[in-house]
Amino acid sequence: MTKPNTELHNLTIAELHSGLQQKQFSSHELTEHFLQRIAQLDTELNCFISVDAERALMLADEADQRLANGDTADLLGIPIAQKDIFCTRGMRTSCGSKMLDNFIPPYDATVIARMQQAGAVMLGKTNMDEFAMGSSNETSYYGPVKNPWNTNTVPGGSSGGSAAAVAARLAPAATGTDTGGSIRQPAALCGITGLKPTYGRVSRYGMIAFASSLDQGGPMTRSAADAAVLLNTMVGHDPLDSTSAHAECSDFTKQLPKSIKGLRIGLPKEYFDQRLNTAMADKVHEALQQLTALGAELVDIELPNSALSVPAYYVIAPAEASSNLSRFDGVRYGYRCENPTDLEDMYTRTRSEGFGDEVKRRILVGAYALSAGYYDAYYRKAQQIRRLIKEDFVKAFEKVDVIAGPTSPSPAFALGAKQSDPVEMYLEDIYTIAVNLAGLPGMSIPAGFIDEMPVGLQLVGNYFDESTILNTAHQYQQVTDWHQRSPID
Amino acid sequence: MTISKEQIIQTAKLARVKLNDNEMDDITQRLSSILELVDQMQAVDTSAVEPMANSLDAVQILRTDQVDEPADKIARRNELLEGAPACEDGLFLVPRVID
C-alpha cells in the first residue's frame, strides 16, 4: 500500500530504505514528491542553485530498476541534495561563484560517485557561500539562502543551502563541506544534524578546494542515525586524494544503540566563559544534564590555546585559498573576461570580475601572509599555533571520550547583520574552527530553541572516532525530540 | 601590524586582482581589522614549536609515475576542452603572448 505522499518527506533514511525495499512507494514517486516540494518552497528559501528534475527522475527510474532486481544498497532510491562544491559530471558545479557559473565538470567527485554507486538519487545542487567562504550564505553569487525557521535570518554557512533544504524537508539528507565550521554552524542554525569527519576520512577528489589542509566533506541530516548511514557511503581511502587516510571504516551505525553509561564528556572551560551568552549557556547545560541522566560523566578540561584558533585559521585558510584559487585564470574553464588585451589583462580582469568581495579579501590576506618578508610572522607562526591547538586536544582526549560545547555563539542572526565587519562574521566560527585545525571529527545536533530559533550542541571526538560522537548524539536523540521539529509542515 | 594602501596594491598585483579606487578605503580598513585579529598570535612564544602543515602529520604520498590514459584520448581531450572559454585545434587559446 502506498503511504500518503504528505508523509514521505518526514521519513528517516532507514524508513525510506525499508519503504522502498518493501515497495510501499517507488523512488520515482519519492523523487517527484521532493521535486514538488522544491518547486513549491524553494523560490523563497533559495536552497538550490541547480535542480535538474529530468536527470533526478532518470536516476530514480534506474534505482527502481535496481530495486526490482533485488538490490539492497544503503541509499538505493533515496533522494539526496549535493552541495554545489562537489563536481558532478555533466551538471553545472558553480561553487556559489560567478567564476564557475558556466562550469560543467567532465568528472564526478569521489563523494558523488560513491553516493551514486550506493543508489542515491541526486536531487540537485545546493546553494553555498562563494567558494565556501562565509558563515551566512550571503556571499553566494546566487543570492542568500533564507533560514526556514525565520526567513529574515541567515541559515549559516557555508553549507547553508544543504542545511536549510534538510530543515525544510526539501531533501531527506544532504552533503556539506566544513573548513572552519561550514557543516556544523549551518546545521546548528537550521536545527539539523551535521557531521564533519576526521580530516582524511572523506575523499576531497572533485570537491572544489578552499583550504586543502582543513577541508572535509560530511553528511547533513535530520538525525545522527541518518548521518551514520550517509557517512558509511562517503568514507574510505581514495587513491585520487593524496591526503586520504588509510583508516579502518567500520559500520558507523553499529555503535548507535550502545549505552553511554560511563562516557566521559569533557567541557572546555574556554567554551563556557563570559563570552558565551546566558541563553546559549543554558541550552548547552540542559543538553549536558540530559546526557548525564543517560549515564555520562562530565569532566572539566582546558584547551588553553583555543582563543588563538580564529587568528591562526584566518592566516592558514586564506593562504591555502590564495594558492588554490590561483587556478582560476580564464584559460581552461570557467569565466573569462571579454576582449582581453593581453594575457595579464585577461588574468586580472577575469579574476576581478569573476570573484566576489569576500573571496578577493581572502585571496589578498593569503597572498600577503605568504609574501616575502611576512611568511615567518604569519604563515609559519600560524602553523606553530596550529600544533599547540592540536596538542591541547590530544592532552584532553587522554581524560575524556568526547568534548562538548556550543556550536555557534548565538542562534541565526538577521540577514545583513554582520556584513559590514568581516571579523565579527569570522567569530561566528569561534567554537568550530579549532576542530578543523586539529583535524578532529565534530558534529552539531539540535539542542533546543532560543526565541523560536534552533541552537546546536557540538560534540567533538578523538581521531577517527566518529562512532563515539554518533553514539552520543543518537542516544541524546532517543530522549529528546528537537531533531524532529520542523519549520514547515 | 597595519597594512598600507601601497602594500595592498602590490599584493593585489601579485594575486592578479584589480581593485577599483572606490574599493580601496573599504578594503584597507577591512584587511587591517583582519590583520589586527591575526596579530593576536604574536603574543605567544612559539620558538620551540615545530610548524604543523597536516593535522595527522601525514607525509606526502607518492605514486608510481606511470602513464594512465583513457582509451579514447581524443574524445577525452575534446570533453575537457568543452569547458574552455576558447580553444582551437585541440589547444587552449589565450591572447597573443609574443608579438
Side-chain angles (χ1 to χ4, degrees):
Chain A
M1 205 180 76
T2 305
K3 285 203 174 192
N5 258 0
T6 48
E7 280 183 9
L8 287 177
H9 56 267
N10 285 319
L11 300 182
T12 65
I13 300 282
E15 286 166 344
L16 290 172
H17 188 257
S18 94
L20 286 161
Q21 290 291 332
Q22 291 162 25
K23 315 281 188 287
Q24 286 170 353
F25 43 82
S26 67
S27 176
H28 190 99
E29 285 171 308
L30 188 62
T31 304
E32 209 152 53
H33 177 73
F34 281 103
L35 288 170
Q36 270 168 19
R37 277 183 75 78
I38 293 168
Q40 200 180 15
L41 298 164
D42 203 43
T43 317
E44 186 181 12
L45 296 175
N46 200 25
C47 299
F48 285 87
I49 291 174
S50 305
V51 176
D52 184 343
E54 211 177 300
R55 179 180 173 133
L57 290 171
M58 195 192 75
L59 290 169
D61 290 340
E62 279 172 25
D64 282 328
Q65 193 56 53
R66 280 172 69 178
L67 282 160
N69 295 338
D71 192 335
T72 59
D74 274 356
L75 299 174
L76 187 54
I78 298 175
I80 307 277
Q82 302 287 1
K83 185 176 182 181
D84 207 20
I85 197 168
F86 291 104
C87 285
T88 45
R89 188 178 185 131
M91 185 165 179
R92 196 243 316 247
T93 301
S94 74
C95 218
S97 182
K98 180 182 177 184
M99 187 63 89
L100 292 176
D101 184 48
N102 63 0
F103 176 55
I104 297 173
Y107 68 105
D108 278 324
T110 296
V111 163
I112 299 289
R114 289 196 174 161
M115 289 240 174
Q116 201 160 329
Q117 250 165 31
V121 171
M122 180 169 65
L123 268 180
K125 307 292 295 287
T126 58
N127 204 344
M128 54 182 285
D129 280 295
E130 183 178 6
F131 286 106
M133 298 177 191
S135 306
S136 68
N137 228 288
E138 293 169 293
T139 73
S140 169
Y141 175 62
Y142 302 90
V145 176
K146 310 287 172 59
N147 189 316
W149 292 94
N150 174 349
T151 52
N152 295 318
T153 65
V154 303
S158 67
S159 312
S162 288
V166 172
R169 277 50 172 164
L170 303 186
T175 54
T177 59
D178 191 315
T179 304
S182 282
I183 286 175
R184 291 159 289 156
Q185 183 257 12
L189 270 47
C190 289
I192 67 158
T193 301
L195 188 147
K196 180 203 93 75
T198 308
Y199 182 79
R201 265 284 194 214
V202 172
S203 169
R204 293 185 300 105
Y205 180 74
M207 192 176 105
I208 296 170
F210 161 12
S212 304
S213 80
L214 304 165
D215 296 344
Q216 188 61 197
M220 302 184 75
T221 55
R222 298 212 306 268
S223 68
D226 286 0
V229 177
L230 254 71
L231 193 61
N232 278 344
T233 300
M234 296 176 80
V235 297
H237 178 257
D238 179 10
L240 297 172
D241 171 3
S242 67
T243 59
S244 173
H246 282 276
E248 200 197 326
C249 300
S250 52
D251 178 353
F252 291 102
T253 63
K254 233 177 199 157
Q255 271 196 47
L256 293 175
K258 214 178 85 176
S259 157
I260 60 163
K261 200 165 183 310
L263 183 87
R264 298 166 303 169
I265 300 179
L267 308 182
K269 75 168 202 246
E270 295 80 6
Y271 288 13
F272 292 90
D273 65 10
Q274 71 287 353
R275 282 173 305 182
L276 183 64
N277 80 57
T278 336
M280 191 60 102
D282 288 348
K283 290 294 151 195
V284 174
H285 284 298
E286 269 173 41
L288 292 170
Q289 249 167 26
Q290 269 156 317
L291 290 168
T292 49
L294 291 167
E297 294 164 26
L298 303 182
V299 182
D300 288 324
I301 57 164
E302 284 180 26
L303 299 172
N305 292 293
S306 64
L308 295 168
S309 59
V310 176
Y313 176 88
Y314 277 98
V315 170
I316 291 169
E320 294 186 11
S322 78
S323 167
N324 273 325
L325 271 60
S326 64
R327 63 172 62 104
F328 299 105
D329 55 8
V331 175
R332 290 152 301 160
Y333 45 79
Y335 180 77
R336 176 188 286 194
C337 68
E338 278 182 33
N339 307 315
T341 54
D342 56 25
L343 201 57
E344 180 89 23
D345 178 55
M346 185 185 79
Y347 292 152
T348 306
R349 276 204 294 127
T350 293
R351 293 166 62 78
S352 306
E353 294 165 18
F355 292 136
D357 289 345
E358 179 62 19
V359 173
K360 281 187 225 171
R361 272 199 290 278
R362 297 208 195 182
I363 289 174
L364 289 177
V365 170
Y368 182 68
L370 292 174
S371 62
Y374 298 101
Y375 181 89
D376 282 353
Y378 288 117
Y379 194 66
R380 190 182 150 86
K381 185 84 184 178
Q383 287 194 314
Q384 289 169 319
I385 303 273
R386 188 175 180 184
R387 182 172 301 280
L388 296 178
I389 288 165
K390 176 189 167 158
E391 284 169 356
D392 283 355
F393 278 108
V394 169
K395 220 167 132 193
F397 277 115
E398 287 168 7
K399 287 195 289 185
V400 300
D401 307 302
V402 169
I403 293 173
T407 305
S408 64
S410 61
F413 47 93
L415 284 154
K418 296 190 181 184
Q419 270 184 319
S420 58
D421 183 359
V423 170
E424 205 189 323
M425 186 72 90
Y426 295 174
L427 292 174
E428 222 1 72
D429 296 327
I430 190 163
Y431 302 118
T432 48
I433 272 176
V435 176
N436 299 78
L437 290 170
L440 294 161
M443 69 189 292
S444 180
I445 54 172
F449 291 80
I450 296 173
D451 296 332
E452 292 169 13
M453 293 305 286
V455 299
L457 174 76
Q458 182 174 216
L459 300 170
V460 180
N462 209 340
Y463 291 100
F464 299 104
D465 192 14
E466 288 82 1
S467 284
T468 299
I469 50 175
L470 281 164
N471 170 228
T472 312
H474 180 69
Q475 290 305 311
Y476 177 77
Q477 291 179 340
Q478 299 309 293
V479 295
T480 55
D481 69 351
W482 306 121
H483 64 292
Q484 287 167 348
R485 307 284 179 94
S486 165
I488 297 166
D489 284 337
Chain B
M1 203 181 289
T2 53
I3 187 164
S4 67
K5 212 169 147 176
E6 289 66 37
Q7 284 172 308
I8 291 177
I9 292 168
Q10 176 59 21
T11 308
K13 198 170 171 254
L14 291 172
R16 301 289 187 268
V17 172
K18 195 173 155 51
L19 301 166
N20 301 327
D21 287 341
N22 53 14
E23 287 178 304
M24 274 313 288
D25 284 342
D26 183 56
I27 200 134
T28 310
Q29 187 235 318
R30 283 173 190 253
L31 288 193
S32 295
S33 76
I34 295 168
L35 292 175
E36 207 175 291
L37 169 83
V38 306
D39 270 339
Q40 291 172 19
M41 296 189 306
Q42 310 306 339
V44 188
D45 178 10
T46 52
S47 48
V49 183
E50 185 67 22
M52 184 174 92
N54 177 293
S55 50
L56 304 170
D57 281 318
V59 290
Q60 183 63 51
I61 295 157
L62 302 175
R63 62 165 173 77
T64 326
D65 186 18
Q66 61 192 22
V67 178
D68 177 17
E69 285 181 329
D72 189 343
K73 282 186 272 187
I74 304 291
R76 186 64 178 151
R77 185 182 71 184
N78 289 341
E79 198 180 8
L80 291 169
L81 284 169
E82 244 168 60
C87 59
E88 202 177 284
D89 299 334
L91 301 166
F92 295 111
L93 204 61
V94 295
R96 180 183 294 275
V97 181
I98 303 161
D99 282 322

